[in-house]
């Protein structure tokens, strides 16, 4: 079916983009269908996925009252950070799952990556549509719930501007972590050992920005602000929404950079991806 | 003539060599182990930061000092692989692939055979990942160790019992494969419960009373939290031995349950196989 629709000649940019979008959703639907075959198991899987997030957040939320605050941050304020990071990461995982190093290295090792190269459809589109884990959708609802709690409990003054700022924060994070997935996936064209190393940046980065970054030491905070600019993604926007000053005397403008920092990372990642694919094609396998 | 008649009661030597093989297999990919160590260390740093920030100026909470909380983090990060806190699906896979049928032809019982293999695996991971992690935590953050025979003996026994409880629980979860063609989802749920209940995410003593009461009726604290409390000396003396008795009780119960469920599962397997 995919082959038939892509064989039609492409005329014009818009029809071609629409056709690709159609193809993408066809790929997603096929996977969603196959994953929902065992209904009970799927339900448990979806529940289990949500429970991983829930237990992690609950462990923190249940323990916090005994201590008071987390370095001056209330549960509502931390929920804002935690919910944003979780929401963005799950959205990103749903979109970019195919690029995640374990998935892509699996395709490279078994040779099914060659099949992707042979098919008359854009390579990246196929990878985008190659690993859609439907069970993660439950986590989206949970993340939205945590974020909603954060919004109501943090006591921030809510203006359309704040909503826009946080939406930009989520989009920036999706692009940023998507870029990290693409880089990790590209590295598997050279070595499989990189899988665990990238986990530090992806899953580690997600965990890092789920909490206010002033709790980390100077070295860690500065590394993830200036070297790997993760602090711009959600920490600065949230600080701004809560009317708190940014660290290091940064101007409040820095809180608006998330929708710029993320796509920049993604663009760099796809540039690296092109190098990787050329390298892969060059091995003659 | 000495025909090798397959005995239904194999000797200890067989299980010992299975355990030895399980131990040695862990050292096959040293580079992966190194990256694993780095990942665990990074997450350890993040978890320490959250705990230290929670403590703030408070000197002690629920019997834990800040230093205890840091040692707790080092212990949990060190035990992840040895106690398979993120889950274990090896047995499930042999059932789904049908390999369990050929395993049944061999002259050994499935439960002790898998237990021996997992014991070897756990010991290997403890040496490869756990000990370096503890050493790093001791060097960098001054993680503490039990003192004297009164500290080491109950702690060591507790660690062995934590493995025994954890293995029996993991094996039970894997037995779901006999009933479901795709038991991985069931497993994912179970591992999430394990993470929360065993005290991996937070020391159980920090939770509200009602939550601790619920957990006290489950075997999950016996799968790690008890060992941490004995290590830190939060529980000592007669209290420590009482905790060990609870762990032993859960270990025996879970093993009996695992043996029972396995036998039911195998009977089902025969029916399905015609």
């Amino acid at each position: 079916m995919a082959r038939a629709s892509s064989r039609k000649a492409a005329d014009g940019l818009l029809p071609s983009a629409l056709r690709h979008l159609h193809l993408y959703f066809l790929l997603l639907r096929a996977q969603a269908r196959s994953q929902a075959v065992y209904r009970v198991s799927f339900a448990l899987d979806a529940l289990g996925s949500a429970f991983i997030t829930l237990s992690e957040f609950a462990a923190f939320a249940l323990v916090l009252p005994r201590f008071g605050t987390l370095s001056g941050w209330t549960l509502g304020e931390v929920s804002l950070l935690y919910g944003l990071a979780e929401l963005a990461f799950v959205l990103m995982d749903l979109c970019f799952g195919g690029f995640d190093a374990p998935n892509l290295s699996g395709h490279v090792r078994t040779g099914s990556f060659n099949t992707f190269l042979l098919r008359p459809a854009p390579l990246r589109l196929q990878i985008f549509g190659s690993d859609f884990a439907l069970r993660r959708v439950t986590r989206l609802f949970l993340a939205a719930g945590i974020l909603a709690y954060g919004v109501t409990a943090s006591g921030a003054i809510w203006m359309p501007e704040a909503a826009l700022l946080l939406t930009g924060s989520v989009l920036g994070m999706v692009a940023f972590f998507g870029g990290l997935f693409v880089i990790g996936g590209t590295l598997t064209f050279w070595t499989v050992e990189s899988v665990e190393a990238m986990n530090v940046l992806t899953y580690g980065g997600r965990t890092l920005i789920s909490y206010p970054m002033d709790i980390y030491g100077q070295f860690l905070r500065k590394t993830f602000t200036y070297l790997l600019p993760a602090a711009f993604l959600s920490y600065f926007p949230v600080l701004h929404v809560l009317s708190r000053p940014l660290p290091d005397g940064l101007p409040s403008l820095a809180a608006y950079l998330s929708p710029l920092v993320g796509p920049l990372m993604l663009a760099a990642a796809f540039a690296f991806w092109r190098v990787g694919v050329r390298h892969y094609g060059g091995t003659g396998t | 003539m000495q025909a090798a008649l397959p005995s239904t009661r194999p000797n200890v030597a067989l299980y010992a060599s299975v355990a030895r093989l399980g131990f040695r297999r862990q050292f096959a990919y040293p580079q992966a182990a190194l990256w694993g160590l780095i990942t665990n260390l990074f997450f350890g740093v993040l978890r320490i930061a959250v705990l230290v920030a929670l403590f703030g100026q408070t000197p002690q909470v629920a019997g834990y000092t800040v230093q205890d909380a840091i040692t707790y983090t080092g212990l949990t990060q060190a035990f992840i692989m040895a106690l398979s806190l993120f889950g274990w699906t090896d047995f499930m896979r042999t059932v789904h692939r049908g390999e369990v049928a050929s395993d049944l032809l061999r002259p050994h019982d499935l439960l002790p055979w898998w237990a021996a293999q997992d014991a070897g695996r756990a010991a290997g991971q403890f040496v490869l990942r756990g000990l370096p992690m503890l050493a790093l935590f001791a060097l960098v953050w001054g993680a503490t160790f039990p003192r004297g025979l009164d500290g080491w003996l109950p702690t060591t026994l507790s660690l062995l019992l934590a493995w025994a409880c954890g293995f029996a629980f993991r094996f039970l979860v894997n037995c779901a494969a006999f009933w479901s063609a795709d038991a991985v989802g069931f497993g994912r749920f179970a591992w999430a419960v394990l993470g929360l209940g065993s005290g991996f995410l937070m020391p159980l003593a920090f939770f509200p009373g009602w939550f601790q009461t619920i957990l006290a009726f489950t075997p999950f604290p016996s799968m790690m939290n008890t060992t941490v409390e004995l290590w830190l000396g939060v529980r000592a003396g007669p209290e420590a031995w009482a905790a060990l008795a609870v762990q032993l009780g859960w270990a025996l119960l879970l093993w009996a349950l695992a043996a029972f469920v396995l036998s039911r599962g195998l009977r089902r397997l025969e029916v399905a196989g015609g």
Side-chain angles (χ1 to χ4, degrees):
Chain A
M1 187 152 49
R3 189 170 297 203
S5 64
S6 62
R7 207 177 275 160
K8 286 172 199 158
D11 16 54
L13 205 61
L14 188 67
S16 135
L18 282 176
R19 206 184 60 237
H20 287 165
L21 205 63
H22 177 67
L23 182 58
Y24 175 66
F25 282 111
L26 278 180
L27 286 169
L28 293 198
R29 203 176 65 182
Q31 285 181 67
R33 269 188 181 168
S34 73
Q35 286 170 28
V37 167
Y38 299 109
R39 276 169 202 280
V40 177
S41 179
F42 175 76
L44 271 169
D45 215 354
L47 212 65
S49 286
F51 194 76
I52 295 170
T53 305
L54 184 68
S55 65
E56 209 179 271
F57 183 72
F60 178 76
L62 285 173
V63 157
L64 192 63
R66 199 174 272 246
F67 293 89
T69 64
L70 180 76
S71 152
W73 288 62
T74 65
L75 182 60
E77 289 167 336
V78 178
S79 302
L80 217 50
L81 279 170
Y82 199 98
L84 276 177
E86 178 68 11
L87 185 69
F89 203 85
V90 180
L91 273 174
M92 185 284 290
D93 222 350
L94 285 170
C95 298
F96 288 84
F99 289 94
D100 196 12
N103 284 319
L104 205 66
S105 79
H107 287 302
V108 170
R109 253 184 299 118
T110 58
S112 48
F113 188 75
N114 293 348
T115 326
F116 287 137
L117 289 171
L118 289 172
R119 284 193 200 133
L123 176 65
R124 265 181 276 176
L125 185 83
Q126 293 181 69
I127 309 287
F128 264 118
S130 70
D131 184 66
F132 180 66
L134 191 63
R135 66 186 153 83
R136 294 207 180 98
V137 171
T138 48
R139 280 174 61 189
L140 277 183
F141 292 107
L142 201 66
I146 295 172
L147 184 59
Y149 172 74
V151 164
T152 52
S154 66
I157 301 155
W158 287 96
M159 312 281 267
E161 187 222 346
L164 212 64
L165 188 60
L166 295 191
T167 309
S169 160
V170 170
L171 292 178
M173 274 193 281
V174 170
F176 185 87
F177 285 109
L180 288 183
F181 263 30
V182 171
I183 291 172
T186 308
L187 283 173
T188 63
F189 291 135
W190 283 277
T191 163
V192 225
E193 303 290 349
S194 61
V195 174
E196 278 252 41
M198 282 310 289
N199 281 351
V200 175
L201 295 183
T202 50
Y203 297 94
R206 191 219 77 160
T207 308
L208 182 109
I209 62 168
S210 300
Y211 300 97
M213 286 183 73
D214 55 347
I215 67 169
Y216 307 115
Q218 285 294 312
F219 175 75
L220 210 57
R221 192 179 63 76
K222 298 223 159 154
T223 305
F224 282 89
T225 303
Y226 301 109
L227 202 63
L228 198 73
F232 290 85
L233 301 175
S234 70
Y235 181 50
F236 290 170
V238 166
L239 280 178
H240 193 62
V241 165
L242 296 174
S243 322
R244 289 174 180 234
L246 302 189
D248 303 339
L250 286 168
S252 55
L253 179 75
Y256 293 87
L257 293 181
S258 183
L260 195 71
V261 168
L264 269 178
M265 169 63 103
L266 189 60
F270 274 128
F272 181 49
W273 166 260
R274 273 191 294 276
V275 176
V277 172
R278 219 175 298 139
H279 168 84
Y280 178 84
T283 59
T285 42
Chain B
M1 194 181 140
Q2 289 192 320
L5 253 174
S7 131
T8 45
R9 287 199 160 273
N11 50 30
V12 180
L14 173 80
Y15 295 126
S17 59
V18 168
R20 210 162 37 239
L21 277 173
F23 180 84
R24 280 185 17 206
R25 193 180 296 163
Q26 307 309 311
F27 296 85
Y29 303 101
Q31 216 178 338
L34 183 68
W35 277 116
L37 198 69
I38 292 170
T39 312
N40 287 7
L41 203 63
F42 184 73
F43 275 91
V45 171
L46 298 187
R47 297 181 63 203
I48 286 179
V50 171
L51 281 168
V52 170
L54 277 174
F55 268 87
Q57 301 301 315
T58 326
Q60 201 177 40
V61 171
Y64 282 71
T65 62
V66 183
Q67 189 58 54
D68 287 339
I70 290 172
T71 303
Y72 152 84
T73 312
L75 280 173
T76 51
Q77 293 299 103
F79 290 155
I80 287 175
M81 296 308 288
L83 298 179
S84 294
L85 295 173
F86 289 163
W88 178 82
T89 50
D90 290 5
F91 178 59
M92 190 183 282
R93 209 175 309 134
T94 68
V95 176
H96 281 153
R97 289 186 184 165
E99 293 160 7
V100 68
S102 53
D103 283 344
L104 284 169
L105 295 173
R106 300 197 179 123
H108 56 63
D109 294 321
L110 273 186
L111 188 56
W113 189 79
W114 276 103
Q117 182 159 312
D118 193 71
R121 184 205 57 77
Q125 286 294 333
F126 186 66
V127 171
L128 190 67
R129 304 261 295 254
L131 291 180
M133 180 68 72
L134 282 175
L136 276 169
F137 264 81
L139 277 174
V140 182
W141 292 285
T144 54
F145 290 87
R147 288 229 185 101
L149 192 65
D150 288 350
W152 277 112
L153 181 67
T155 306
T156 311
L157 287 176
S158 175
L159 181 56
L160 295 175
L161 286 169
W163 167 80
C165 287
F167 168 74
F169 171 69
R170 285 184 277 125
F171 194 85
L172 260 174
V173 172
N174 275 253
C175 282
F178 287 114
W179 284 269
S180 166
D182 186 16
V184 180
F186 179 70
R188 239 188 287 265
F189 188 73
W191 313 139
V193 175
L194 176 67
L196 184 66
S198 69
F200 172 69
L201 295 171
M202 278 284 175
L204 297 185
F206 290 177
F207 285 115
W210 60 267
F211 193 69
Q212 289 185 53
T213 310
I214 295 173
L215 284 179
F217 288 100
T218 71
F220 299 112
S222 293
M223 296 175 195
M224 192 186 70
N225 193 65
T226 308
T227 308
V228 172
E229 290 186 345
L230 296 196
W231 181 293
L232 294 173
V234 174
R235 282 199 232 185
E239 249 191 295
W241 292 101
L244 282 172
V246 171
Q247 274 190 298
L248 182 64
W250 276 118
L252 293 173
L253 192 71
L254 286 168
W255 275 66
L257 203 60
F260 172 72
V261 172
L262 174 66
S263 72
R264 295 299 295 263
L266 288 176
R267 207 181 306 164
R268 207 184 134 80
L269 185 78
E270 283 164 6
V271 173

